[in-house]
């Protein structure tokens, strides 16, 4: 449920990963007292834990193997091609945990910054694998605030051929969820928390502040 409100229904297409370890680490992440190094480590750890839920529907196939004791038929991931897309710069803060989980995945980056007046996203960088149509694409960004950057990034990825897309963040605002679900109703959202609201500066409340600045110690 949104933090600071009464109990509400989770919006359609949104999965809140509320494992106790995720909640515990997110509490530490939110705290103003958490220093940069710990913030960076916690963000990576949470993203790895969330990855288990995000990728739980990966298809499996049977394979013949030899254990130290005997032959058997076991199961392994079918070989679905994965691509993690980081929305710069803060997305890199939760990209690492995902890569730890699936080291063979391809990586892409989309550079967007938010206009300080209009809050609209402006693209300055785009580099992704060529065969996006063949890949399950996981887009990562710590905060889903207004939703405009996430929606713009996914629109750009679809133009590049991506069809199977999921979006992962640490904290989402109801306003951002509404924007992203309206723009891309086919893209499921995974988040560790759905917070109360945006303030007049488009920051999530109660949130955790500016994720990029806290990750990289730039403020």
């Amino acid at each position: 449920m949104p933090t600071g409100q009464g109990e509400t229904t989770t919006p359609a297409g949104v999965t809140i990963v509320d494992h106790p370890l995720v909640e515990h680490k997110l509490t530490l992440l939110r705290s103003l007292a958490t220093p940069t190094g710990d913030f960076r480590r916690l963000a990576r750890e949470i993203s790895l834990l969330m990855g288990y839920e995000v990728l739980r529907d990966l298809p499996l196939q049977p394979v013949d193997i030899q254990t130290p004791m005997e032959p058997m038929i076991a199961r392994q991931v079918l070989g679905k091609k994965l691509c993690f897309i980081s929305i710069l710069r803060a997305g890199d803060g939760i990209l690492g945990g995902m890569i730890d989980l699936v080291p063979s995945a391809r990586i892409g980056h989309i550079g967007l910054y938010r206009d300080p007046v209009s809050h609209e996203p402006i693209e300055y960088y785009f580099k992704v694998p060529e065969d996006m149509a063949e890949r399950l694409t996981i887009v990562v960004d710590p905060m889903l605030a207004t939703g405009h950057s996430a929606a713009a990034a996914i629109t750009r990825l679809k133009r590049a051929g991506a069809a199977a897309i999921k979006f992962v963040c640490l904290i989402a605002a109801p306003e951002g969820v509404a924007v992203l679900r309206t723009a891309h109703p086919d893209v499921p959202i995974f988040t560790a928390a759905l917070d109360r609201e945006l303030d007049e500066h488009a920051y999530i409340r109660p949130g955790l502040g500016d994720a990029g600045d806290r990750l990289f110690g730039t403020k």
Side-chain angles (χ1 to χ4, degrees):
M1 64 179 137
T3 302
Q5 294 183 358
E7 186 173 351
T8 61
T9 302
T10 301
V14 177
T15 298
I16 298 177
V17 183
D18 57 357
H19 188 282
L21 286 176
V22 172
E23 290 200 45
H24 171 76
K25 292 175 185 295
L26 183 60
T27 295
L28 298 176
L29 199 72
R30 290 183 188 271
S31 174
L32 181 62
T34 299
T36 298
D38 289 345
F39 188 96
R40 194 177 298 139
R41 173 182 56 79
L42 287 162
R44 188 185 189 104
E45 290 174 354
I46 294 170
S47 68
L48 188 150
L49 291 169
M50 292 183 68
Y52 286 103
E53 184 65 33
V54 174
L55 300 174
R56 98 168 17 253
D57 59 352
L58 285 178
L60 297 171
Q61 65 179 350
V63 293
D64 294 312
I65 66 169
Q66 176 73 45
T67 79
M69 306 302 295
E70 63 184 42
M72 70 169 289
I73 298 175
R75 297 199 300 168
Q76 67 180 20
V77 174
L78 182 60
K80 177 73 174 179
K81 294 180 178 180
L82 283 174
C83 181
F84 295 120
I85 302 293
S86 170
I87 299 179
L88 296 172
R89 63 179 170 150
D92 279 4
I94 61 173
L95 178 64
M98 297 288 181
I99 298 173
D100 289 344
L101 199 58
V102 192
S104 62
R106 298 295 185 265
I107 309 298
H109 290 87
I110 301 178
L112 297 167
Y113 69 89
R114 189 172 66 181
D115 185 279
V117 177
S118 69
H119 303 307
E120 292 297 318
I122 299 174
E123 181 183 314
Y124 64 89
Y125 185 79
F126 184 82
K127 185 70 173 180
V128 302
E130 293 182 354
D131 54 349
M132 292 300 294
E134 302 174 18
R135 297 185 178 277
L136 171 59
T137 301
I138 311 296
V139 181
V140 299
D141 195 2
M143 313 296 279
L144 179 60
T146 67
H148 297 305
S149 293
I154 291 170
T155 296
R156 186 73 169 83
L157 287 168
K158 286 182 175 180
R159 288 205 301 267
I165 303 172
K166 297 180 180 183
F167 179 82
V168 182
C169 62
L170 300 181
I171 298 177
E175 296 91 335
V177 168
V179 166
L180 184 52
R181 292 294 297 160
T182 298
H184 299 286
D186 58 317
V187 175
I189 299 169
F190 293 81
T191 184
L194 181 59
D195 274 13
R196 187 178 66 247
E197 62 187 0
L198 295 181
D199 65 15
E200 64 275 16
H201 302 295
Y203 281 98
I204 299 175
R205 297 283 184 162
L208 50 73
D210 187 298
D213 284 337
R214 297 196 67 187
L215 281 163
F216 302 113
T218 48
K219 185 175 289 186

